[in-house]
């Protein structure tokens, strides 16, 4: 009887030790540290039966390490878009917007031929940019992005703001708007110059003798 009691106790201890790593792993999965910006390595894929546009690796590019995107700044949106319309008709991406930006940013129209993968990262820079941020971004946030298509309508997706580090350093940041400084009134400068020239010519001209 004593031997059986010891055997049950030993099995109970062994079972507890076996379960301990599983509980620890579960706890680590709930640790907020796993959601830090350094852990973000990919965007979001959207594939629905009723959606004619398939979206791959959708994300917003945030700032570099130690930096922020200030209020009023811009942030590029990157993804690969595939038009899978069953009717064979082309589509266009015509605007992007977000819950952290101002009015929807209209685009010139990014053509989406049927069956062709179109990247929003072009050699000339990002093709889709969120303009007029309403809050600062440091990277690691989750924001809502709305893609407006000419035929497929509006698709809203919750996407990560991925810091510009590692592999994402190859993605160009949004261009910084250049504010030109005010110049002098051209009418004033144009009036002053000819007047001075005319005066010098008159002084050099000989006066006729009566």
């Amino acid at each position: 009887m004593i031997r059986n009691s010891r055997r049950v106790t030993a099995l109970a201890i062994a079972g507890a030790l076996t379960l301990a790593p599983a509980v620890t792993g579960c706890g680590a999965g709930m640790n907020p540290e796993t959601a830090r910006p350094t852990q973000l390595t990919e965007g979001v894929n959207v594939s629905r039966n009723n959606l004619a546009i398939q979206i791959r690796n959708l994300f917003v590019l945030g700032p570099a390490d130690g930096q922020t995107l200030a209020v009023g700044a811009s942030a590029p949106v990157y993804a690969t878009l595939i038009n899978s319309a069953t009717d064979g008709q082309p589509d266009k991406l015509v605007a992007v917007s977000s819950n952290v930006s101002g009015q929807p940013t209209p685009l010139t129209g990014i053509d989406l031929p049927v069956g062709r993968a179109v990247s929003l990262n072009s050699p000339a820079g990002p093709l889709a940019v969120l303009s007029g941020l309403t809050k600062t971004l440091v990277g690691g946030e989750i924001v809502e992005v709305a893609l407006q298509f000419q035929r497929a309508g509006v698709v809203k997706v919750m996407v990560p703001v991925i810091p510009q580090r590692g592999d994402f350093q190859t993605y160009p940041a949004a261009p910084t708007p250049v504010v030109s400084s005010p110049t002098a009134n051209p009418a004033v400068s144009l009036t002053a110059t000819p007047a001075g020239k005319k005066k010098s010519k008159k002084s050099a001209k000989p006066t006729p003798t009566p």
Side-chain angles (χ1 to χ4, degrees):
M1 193 71 179
I2 295 177
R3 289 182 180 180
N4 290 338
S5 177
R6 290 179 178 176
R7 181 175 298 178
V8 170
T9 302
L11 290 175
I13 294 175
L17 293 175
T18 304
L19 291 174
V23 174
T24 303
C26 182
M30 297 299 292
N31 193 329
E33 290 294 318
T34 59
R36 293 181 59 186
T38 53
Q39 302 296 324
L40 297 176
T41 57
E42 59 183 6
V44 175
N45 297 329
V46 181
S47 180
R48 304 171 187 165
N49 293 332
N50 61 342
L51 182 62
I53 304 295
Q54 308 302 313
I55 304 172
R56 300 288 181 267
N57 198 28
L58 173 63
F59 66 94
V60 174
L61 183 65
D65 286 341
Q67 299 182 10
T68 61
L69 293 180
V71 172
S74 300
V77 177
Y78 286 111
T80 298
L81 307 176
I82 305 172
N83 181 2
S84 57
T86 56
D87 59 4
Q89 295 298 315
D91 205 338
K92 283 186 178 182
L93 177 65
V94 295
V96 294
S97 61
S98 173
N99 60 340
V100 295
S101 67
Q103 296 297 321
T105 305
L107 307 174
T108 56
I110 300 173
D111 292 325
L112 302 173
V114 175
R116 185 183 304 174
V118 177
S119 175
L120 298 184
N121 183 12
S122 74
L127 298 179
V129 175
L130 297 174
S131 302
L133 295 178
T134 57
K135 61 168 290 185
T136 58
L137 297 180
V138 297
E141 301 94 332
I142 301 295
V143 300
E144 182 184 77
V145 170
L147 304 178
Q148 182 176 347
F149 299 96
Q150 191 175 64
R151 297 184 69 244
V154 178
V155 180
K156 296 182 178 181
V157 187
M158 300 303 294
V159 304
V161 179
I162 299 183
Q164 194 178 25
R165 60 177 300 173
D167 294 339
F168 293 95
Q169 288 180 331
T170 60
Y171 289 85
T176 304
V178 178
V179 180
S180 58
S181 58
T183 57
N185 189 343
V188 175
S189 60
L190 290 175
T191 304
T193 304
K197 289 184 178 180
K198 287 182 180 179
K199 186 176 181 180
S200 61
K201 286 182 180 179
K202 286 183 178 180
S203 61
K205 184 177 180 181
T207 304
T209 303

